[in-house]
Amino acid sequence: MGDEFLQRRENERFFEEVKRQYLADMKIRFGFTDLQATQAESLANWAFESGFGSGVSYAHYEESAIRLRPGRRA
């Protein structure tokens, strides 16, 4: 197993632990129903898998925006 794979597994483990704590807190603080907690968990999973907030998604956005600028030559 490579270092990247091990780092990814560690990140996933940490994410799951933090997500579980936040969802339990939101259920108590905001009175989330089970459905609302499931929806919040789905959004958190999407954000983690897509790299949202890590700079990865922003880098893809910038790369795409550069390609779409008027006057850019191929």
Side-chain angles (χ1 to χ4, degrees), residues 15 19 23 38-50:
F15 171 74
K19 181 178 67 173
L23 290 174
T38 300
Q39 291 170 334
E41 182 178 9
S42 295
L43 287 172
N45 289 337
W46 168 83
F48 180 79
E49 291 298 324
S50 70

Side-chain angles (χ1 to χ4, degrees), residues 6-71:
L6 293 175
Q7 183 63 49
R8 174 73 178 185
R9 285 185 65 172
E10 182 62 29
N11 290 348
E12 287 175 355
R13 196 173 311 122
F14 178 75
F15 171 74
E16 288 297 325
E17 181 181 324
V18 170
K19 181 178 67 173
R20 190 173 22 259
Q21 292 171 355
Y22 272 108
L23 290 174
D25 183 54
M26 286 194 288
K27 285 179 95 172
I28 294 168
R29 287 177 55 201
F30 303 117
F32 273 21
T33 64
D34 287 338
L35 177 60
Q36 289 170 318
T38 300
Q39 291 170 334
E41 182 178 9
S42 295
L43 287 172
N45 289 337
W46 168 83
F48 180 79
E49 291 298 324
S50 70
F52 184 80
S54 67
V56 175
S57 58
Y58 182 76
H60 289 298
Y61 166 78
E62 276 296 302
E63 184 179 312
S64 298
I66 288 169
R67 291 183 182 158
L68 295 173
R69 287 192 180 133

